[in-house]
Amino acid sequence: MRKTAVRVLLTLSLVCLLSFSALAAPVVLEYWTIFTGPDGATMQELVDQFNKERAGEIEVRMSIMPGGNFYESILTAVISGRAPDVAIMHMDRLPEFASQGILLELDAYVDELGLVGEDYIEPVWNGGIIDGKRYSIPLDAHPLVMYWNKDIFEAAGLDPEAPPMDRESFIEVTKLLTQDTDGDGVIDQWGTQLSVGWPNFQYWYSILFQNDGELFNEDNTQAIFNNEAGVDALQYLTDLIYVHKVSPANVQVDADVEAFKRGEVAIEFNGIWMLAGYQDHPGLNFGAGMIPQWGTERKAVWAGSHQFIIPRQRSVDRAKVNASLEFIAWIGNHSLEWGRGGQLPAKLSVLNSEEFRSDPHLGSIAEAAPYVAFPHTFFLQYGEATGPAWDAINKAFLGLMTPQEALDEAVELSNRVLKQ
Amino acid sequence: MRAIARPRRSLFGDEGRLTPYLYLLPHAILFFMFVIYPIFKGFWVSLTEWNMFFNEGTFVGFANYARLFNPESIQNAYYWQALKATLLFVVISVPPLVLISLGLAVLVTSNLPWRSFFRTIYFMPTALTISVVAVMWRWIFQGDVGFANWVLRALGGDAIPWLTTQPYAWISILIATIWWTVGWNMILLVSGLNAIPHDQYEAATIDGANSWKSFRYITLPNLRPILLFIVITTVIASFNLFGQPQLMTGGGPSRSTVTVMYYIYGEAFGNFRMGSSAAMSYSTAVIMLVATFAQAKLFSAKDQDS
Amino acid sequence: MKRNRYLSFSFISALLVALIFLFPLYWMVATSFKLESVTTAWPPQVFPNPITLDNYRTIIGNPVDTPVFQWFLNSAFAAISYTLGSIAVSALAAYALARLRFPGRQFYFWTCIASLVVPGVIFLIPNYITIDTLGWVDRYPALIVPGMATATGMFLLRQFFLSIPSELEDSARIDGAGRFRIFWQIVLPLSKPVVLTYGLMSFLNNWNDYLWALIVTYSSSMRTLPVGLMTLQGRYIHQYGTMMAGAVLTALPALILFLAVQRYFVKGIVLTGIKG
């Protein structure tokens, strides 16, 4: 009798203990991000803050993967049942992965969280919808940005707060600022540096859209970027190198970044994510803002967008999904800090807030928000189909082909991809 | 007297009928699973549109292979381009890899002081992994502040955009590859050189041969089998070039250093088209086999001449 | 006289070549000890001044993003398990093929040899699919098991076993020793040179493997050193000092092992008599 009683008591206490620990155990979320630069540190700080506020309830574990890795592994991870609970994906890759069926549909949850389209930059809000269903929640938009060295401007007698904003004045100013400053016969200060490789697609893309062009036709069955708009865009850029000679030929990827930091380049173009790197570089007195309107029709600028996604698991764990959504909402509400790390928050209330706008660089870059240009739709083969365009731009920059030839070849290859 | 019964052979134990198979079993199971089976499974995959998510394929016959020859497919453009790039690399890399290793092997087997020290140094790079080699050489060939351009400029020349233009991109990859792998061939040749009986050389010296003649008529013929082995394996290794272009040039400039392995990898794990990628790998395998046999034949034909 | 001149010429050439071979390693190490702002200085510093450990601190001190120690453990665990497993599996099979009589032994031997002709490119995808089916993706078995049964290992060990005079084993049999005991206590100990050679080959092959490890792992905690270094490139691509520090840490274990045992390795190659 006593033995049984003792046994029952022990079992009861064990059960109580276990259930308490289960109750007390926080929901652990695996969070995969692609922020390999200084923005990674910013996100980590936000995650740490979230974990502190929700200690004991939710714990977020963040992993950083280089973009290439992430996109290669997310599919395998989902297949092998070891997908993260929440992750960040670029907007242009969404259709690929949505079509593989590995993303959770979020329409219902978005309503629950009370998120509405009017609160967000329109194209990045709409970008989460594929075939009528929502698969992602926007975090930010990150445009191409013009950075200029204020000291070089002043030294040449130009207004350091007024960089050139159109086609002709850009050529004038960069010509003026391309100099041999120490008289040794070698140009050591360049008006600009256009890199052969990343992110030159974004320069060209911006001009294409400024010319009112598009990459693909309405139903994404034909590549059309070798039209006038595209060729004009590429011609303008290659002329900067070979005709106006305001940029060296053969700039290696990120050599322009290094040169800008050393104060050897007057105007440099790169993503908003470079902002922190430039801010941290001692002695660099620079401005940042919307890129010039090199094109003929309208203002436009390339941008990417980070979006939150929730991978579809073998079995839906409601607790984890809820925790992920809470995390996503929290980050959204703290996107000011995120933006300060070098992004444009997708939430308009944050983007247009006094605090954000008063930041000297971010406020100026935020002027670009209405002009972010996305293709009319992203689709499954977008990445593969734009690959040939990247190659074409490089070939033209290297002087191996004329812009028309290069883009013609790229369109032919791109059409092959689209035919699959 | 006890009747001597004929012992029945047992199944297990020392003379057991099944014992040898037990020894063989671990190797056989693994060998079957990861060497024999994949040869057939891979071919099967190449005949399907393979869905990674469900781990199954829809049969499409030879469509993946046909696509390689269809001038409207992207694979047709990129695969042959990759193959050409790979063949180019084979042609520019095999001669130096063989000749330099031969030269080094002769050097370290000669009457040189500290020769095992030198041998160790030349062999050491092979102990490194490709990512270390790529990081190291990418830094040396960096366009702005890399060491190679510093030397060039110090000598009065212009900086070369090593990794972003041809032919320098290939040259960079070639230099890194030679530095990394020449030691392996060298060691094989060293063992071959050490195995040549001395009396052959002595006899030749008595006959008045100089060092070049003894090299040509004694050393080389003795090394023939090893040289054949080395040439074949070096061709295969160059055909498999993957890490250097992926990590040093990213396949650039403009896909000019995308090799066949690189493209096959990208098609399977970047574009998720495993069926197509498998078809490419089998096509490449056929080409490599033909090349290997051709080399072996060429060498043996030469053998008969001499 | 001529001989001496020839000798010094050879020596000087050998020395020059050695310097060329050593320089990239030196440059990698030197850069790893430079301050990041100095790595891109022009003209480059030949010797780091000041010498700093910052880059190493960045790599080692960041266990979330760059768990270098974890990568090292993964590489070590995989390579050691692989080597032991490969030796065991190949030695057992080689013994059967060398000493035991049974139907199918020639067939098995020649099938293994024939497989060497098959180009490696075709194994990638089907083996990945097998690993996926077994649920081994991003787990240790994927790094250890697939390549374990090699034709080369079986061949090297079999050839060596054949060269051991059978009288040694016969006398042991007469004394009453069982097959396995003979294998374990006589044949294997005698085979130290070839086991060492093959063991080193296997260890380095597995330790340095890049492509397969890249394909079968994806989480940061499962990566091996070579692949980890590559992901480092995504993060620190312009921080050359940090990248070199990562490269040095990746290269160090293999180099140390290599320098410790390369003498035996070279001897072993000679012993196996790859003459053709």
Side-chain angles (χ1 to χ4, degrees):
Chain A
M1 217 4 226
R2 267 196 70 188
K3 263 204 192 154
T4 332
V6 168
R7 266 197 223 128
V8 168
L9 211 67
L10 275 172
T11 325
L12 266 177
S13 2
L14 201 65
V15 169
C16 283
L17 214 69
L18 282 173
S19 42
F20 269 131
S21 46
L23 280 175
V27 176
V28 175
L29 297 177
E30 289 291 331
Y31 172 41
W32 285 11
T33 63
I34 43 186
F35 306 127
T36 53
D39 40 5
T42 312
M43 180 53 84
Q44 184 68 63
E45 278 172 32
L46 284 170
V47 167
D48 292 339
Q49 198 186 330
F50 176 82
N51 284 338
K52 220 188 274 174
E53 281 182 25
R54 303 298 299 268
E57 294 168 13
I58 307 181
E59 187 193 324
V60 174
R61 294 204 194 126
M62 181 172 118
S63 299
I64 300 183
M65 299 190 173
N69 264 30
F70 171 77
Y71 289 112
E72 282 169 25
S73 17
I74 186 73
L75 188 64
T76 5
V78 171
I79 294 170
S80 49
R82 271 172 274 142
D85 300 295
V86 56
I88 295 274
M89 201 178 262
H90 286 119
M91 198 171 103
D92 59 352
R93 305 297 298 259
L94 281 172
E96 257 181 88
F97 294 96
S99 71
Q100 301 270 11
I102 65 166
L103 304 179
L104 199 64
E105 289 168 35
L106 300 174
D107 300 90
Y109 304 118
V110 157
D111 290 338
E112 272 178 38
L113 285 172
L115 305 178
V116 275
E118 287 80 43
D119 283 349
Y120 289 86
I121 300 178
E122 197 187 327
V124 304
W125 174 255
N126 292 335
I129 301 177
I130 296 151
D131 285 339
K133 301 209 183 83
R134 169 167 295 281
Y135 291 97
S136 68
I137 296 172
L139 171 64
D140 62 47
H142 39 271
L144 186 68
V145 163
M146 170 166 66
Y147 299 97
W148 68 94
N149 186 316
K150 290 190 181 173
D151 290 338
I152 295 184
F153 270 63
E154 273 190 50
L158 296 171
D159 179 358
E161 305 304 325
M165 291 304 287
D166 64 60
R167 183 173 272 233
E168 281 76 31
S169 60
F170 184 77
I171 297 177
E172 273 175 43
V173 169
T174 47
K175 264 196 178 148
L176 181 64
L177 297 175
T178 302
Q179 299 163 4
D180 167 19
T181 53
D182 56 4
D184 63 351
V186 173
I187 298 184
D188 39 43
Q189 180 180 290
W190 291 91
T192 185
Q193 286 199 2
L194 301 176
S195 80
V196 179
W198 177 275
N200 61 13
F201 176 80
Q202 295 162 12
Y203 322 143
W204 171 77
Y205 175 104
S206 303
I207 310 182
L208 173 70
F209 278 77
Q210 287 172 359
N211 286 342
D212 243 352
E214 268 280 359
L215 289 167
F216 303 102
N217 66 353
E218 268 181 38
D219 49 8
N220 291 321
T221 52
Q222 285 277 342
I224 55 175
F225 52 79
N226 62 340
N227 56 11
E228 257 192 63
V231 177
D232 171 78
L234 191 52
Q235 188 71 58
Y236 181 79
L237 292 168
T238 51
D239 285 350
L240 289 174
I241 301 176
Y242 292 106
V243 171
H244 310 294
K245 310 218 167 128
V246 297
S247 161
N250 251 313
V251 177
Q252 209 172 330
V253 172
D254 287 322
D256 52 336
V257 171
E258 299 301 313
F260 187 74
K261 285 184 185 171
R262 288 195 299 265
E264 296 167 12
V265 182
I267 305 179
E268 197 259 338
F269 297 93
N270 218 302
I272 183 178
W273 53 81
M274 272 304 170
L275 184 60
Y278 291 149
Q279 279 173 321
D280 291 341
H281 195 89
L284 187 64
N285 182 13
F286 71 99
M290 172 74 180
I291 63 172
Q293 184 183 332
W294 293 301
T296 50
E297 302 299 319
R298 60 181 174 104
K299 294 198 209 180
V301 65
W302 177 92
S305 168
H306 293 125
Q307 308 256 340
F308 278 107
I309 54 127
I310 298 182
R312 181 176 287 166
Q313 308 282 359
R314 290 263 158 84
S315 51
V316 177
D317 182 338
R318 210 44 228 262
K320 290 210 171 180
V321 172
N322 285 343
S324 303
L325 291 164
E326 291 184 49
F327 173 67
I328 294 174
W330 188 94
I331 298 279
N333 291 334
H334 289 76
S335 47
L336 179 61
E337 286 93 321
W338 176 241
R340 287 228 186 87
Q343 313 278 349
L344 292 182
K347 268 198 145 147
L348 290 171
S349 51
V350 180
L351 181 67
N352 295 330
S353 68
E354 266 263 19
E355 288 177 78
F356 193 78
R357 290 287 176 147
S358 60
D359 180 296
H361 294 126
L362 291 170
S364 161
I365 298 174
E367 306 284 316
Y371 304 109
V372 294
F374 293 97
H376 54 83
T377 34
F378 284 116
F379 54 99
L380 176 65
Q381 289 141 322
Y382 178 78
E384 213 192 330
T386 47
W390 286 81
D391 295 331
I393 298 169
N394 289 334
K395 287 188 185 170
F397 274 30
L398 288 172
L400 297 172
M401 283 181 152
T402 68
Q404 183 75 61
E405 286 170 348
L407 288 173
D408 284 341
E409 182 188 69
V411 160
E412 202 264 319
L413 289 170
S414 188
N415 282 333
R416 293 199 196 195
V417 174
L418 294 171
K419 271 212 198 78
Q420 288 189 108
Chain B
M1 216 169 70
R2 249 172 54 193
I4 301 174
R6 256 187 79 199
R8 267 189 58 206
R9 265 192 91 185
S10 55
L11 279 181
F12 302 108
D14 274 6
E15 298 300 327
R17 290 210 303 276
L18 286 189
T19 313
Y21 298 107
L22 283 181
Y23 279 77
L24 212 52
L25 204 60
H27 192 272
I29 292 179
L30 290 172
F31 196 74
F32 178 77
M33 273 178 79
F34 294 104
V35 181
I36 303 295
Y37 171 70
I39 298 179
F40 298 98
K41 175 70 180 251
F43 186 65
W44 166 249
V45 170
S46 77
L47 300 176
T48 67
E49 290 266 337
W50 188 262
N51 185 320
M52 274 176 82
F53 197 54
F54 294 110
N55 221 10
E56 60 186 28
T58 342
F59 184 73
V60 289
F62 282 95
N64 291 322
Y65 292 93
R67 207 178 292 134
L68 295 177
F69 296 96
N70 178 357
E72 297 201 343
S73 77
I74 190 73
Q75 287 85 350
N76 169 268
Y78 287 161
Y79 175 72
W80 297 108
Q81 180 186 30
L83 197 59
K84 264 190 226 143
T86 312
L87 283 172
L88 173 66
F89 183 71
V90 169
V91 166
I92 65 173
S93 68
V94 173
L97 282 170
V98 174
L99 293 173
I100 294 179
S101 61
L102 185 59
L104 291 178
V106 167
L107 195 59
V108 301
T109 49
S110 68
N111 230 336
L112 200 63
W114 298 5
R115 58 176 173 272
S116 39
F117 169 72
F118 287 125
R119 190 193 64 210
T120 307
I121 294 197
Y122 305 154
F123 190 35
M124 190 161 57
T126 61
L128 297 171
T129 180
I130 177 57
S131 30
V132 169
V133 175
V135 162
M136 185 192 287
W137 284 95
R138 196 164 193 269
W139 172 223
I140 291 181
F141 286 124
Q142 208 273 348
D144 266 352
V145 289
F147 188 79
N149 278 341
W150 179 61
V151 171
L152 271 177
R153 285 200 224 177
L155 294 177
D158 285 326
I160 292 183
W162 291 100
L163 301 171
T164 49
T165 26
Q166 295 293 12
Y168 305 109
W170 275 128
I171 294 178
S172 322
I173 293 180
L174 181 65
I175 293 178
T177 307
I178 292 178
W179 180 85
W180 184 36
T181 62
V182 83
W184 185 249
N185 285 347
M186 178 195 75
I187 288 292
L188 293 175
L189 284 167
V190 162
S191 91
L193 285 168
N194 283 335
I196 300 178
H198 271 277
D199 36 353
Q200 288 191 24
Y201 288 112
E202 281 161 18
T205 329
I206 291 173
D207 284 349
N210 64 9
S211 39
W212 170 245
K213 280 229 171 71
S214 30
F215 182 75
R216 193 156 166 235
Y217 292 110
I218 298 178
T219 315
L220 281 185
N222 269 292
L223 286 180
R224 169 155 268 129
I226 290 203
L227 279 174
L228 173 63
F229 180 77
I230 286 179
V231 168
I232 291 183
T233 51
T234 307
V235 167
I236 292 177
S238 292
F239 238 104
N240 284 332
L241 186 70
F242 172 79
Q244 292 90 309
Q246 191 205 34
L247 299 171
M248 286 174 74
T249 59
S254 297
R255 300 191 73 92
S256 55
T257 55
V258 171
T259 57
V260 136
M261 267 318 268
Y262 194 175
Y263 185 49
I264 288 176
Y265 166 79
E267 181 80 343
F269 296 97
N271 296 329
F272 303 122
R273 290 191 289 256
M274 285 208 152
S276 166
S277 177
M280 286 184 220
S281 64
Y282 275 79
S283 311
T284 312
V286 167
I287 295 174
M288 285 171 73
L289 280 172
V290 168
T292 306
F293 284 125
Q295 286 168 75
K297 267 214 125 179
L298 202 69
F299 254 77
S300 65
K302 271 204 185 149
D303 224 346
Q304 287 171 11
D305 290 339
S306 64
Chain C
M1 268 311 287
K2 200 168 172 197
R3 285 220 99 194
N4 275 338
R5 233 187 288 154
Y6 178 67
L7 208 65
S8 34
F9 175 72
S10 300
F11 186 75
I12 294 185
S13 331
L15 200 62
L16 278 172
V17 173
L19 285 174
I20 295 179
F21 265 84
L22 282 175
F23 180 75
L25 279 169
Y26 167 75
W27 195 235
M28 172 179 82
V29 174
T31 308
S32 72
F33 287 110
K34 286 183 189 172
L35 285 170
E36 211 55 83
S37 48
V38 164
T39 57
T40 51
W42 190 264
Q45 280 183 347
V46 179
F47 192 79
N49 184 16
I51 296 188
T52 173
L53 289 178
D54 279 352
N55 300 319
Y56 288 94
R57 278 196 209 105
T58 309
I59 303 254
I60 298 179
N62 205 346
V64 173
D65 299 332
T66 57
V68 186
F69 193 59
Q70 181 68 42
W71 294 341
F72 171 77
L73 285 177
N74 293 338
S75 282
F77 179 68
I80 293 176
S81 314
Y82 172 78
T83 305
L84 293 176
S86 193
I87 293 176
V89 158
S90 302
L92 285 170
Y95 186 69
L97 291 170
R99 286 286 184 253
L100 305 178
R101 304 212 164 294
F102 57 96
R105 95 199 248 239
Q106 289 292 73
F107 173 73
Y108 191 78
F109 177 73
W110 285 108
T111 309
C112 287
I113 299 295
S115 78
L116 287 172
V117 174
V118 180
V121 61
I122 67 156
F123 293 104
L124 216 58
I125 289 170
N127 276 338
Y128 178 80
I129 294 176
T130 304
I131 296 292
D132 193 11
T133 313
L134 290 169
W136 286 355
V137 174
D138 208 42
R139 301 217 145 103
Y140 283 117
L143 294 169
I144 301 172
V145 178
M148 229 191 247
T150 59
T152 324
M154 184 277 296
F155 176 74
L156 287 175
L157 287 162
R158 173 189 183 265
Q159 296 307 95
F160 192 83
F161 291 163
L162 284 174
S163 74
I164 298 178
S166 53
E167 291 81 50
L168 282 168
E169 292 171 62
D170 292 342
S171 47
R173 304 286 319 281
I174 292 172
D175 286 346
R179 270 281 174 219
F180 191 75
R181 259 190 78 187
I182 296 178
F183 171 71
W184 186 253
Q185 291 184 339
I186 298 180
V187 176
L188 268 189
L190 282 174
S191 311
K192 268 209 194 90
V194 73
V195 166
L196 204 61
T197 303
Y198 179 61
L200 285 170
M201 252 173 73
S202 300
F203 186 90
L204 280 181
N205 267 339
N206 187 284
W207 183 276
N208 286 341
D209 170 61
Y210 175 68
L211 180 52
W212 179 250
L214 178 68
I215 291 175
V216 298
T217 61
Y218 53 80
S219 49
S220 188
S221 56
M222 254 332 279
R223 298 282 195 188
T224 56
L225 271 177
V227 183
L229 181 64
M230 171 239 161
T231 62
L232 219 64
Q233 188 155 284
R235 190 158 165 62
Y236 293 111
I237 194 160
H238 301 302
Q239 290 166 255
Y240 298 109
T242 316
M243 271 316 292
M244 296 306 131
V248 169
L249 291 173
T250 307
L252 215 51
L255 276 180
I256 292 177
L257 181 70
F258 172 81
L259 289 172
V261 292
Q262 57 91 25
R263 208 182 323 134
Y264 304 105
F265 183 65
V266 174
K267 239 192 250 169
I269 298 264
V270 174
L271 217 74
T272 57
I274 301 181
K275 277 165 56 172

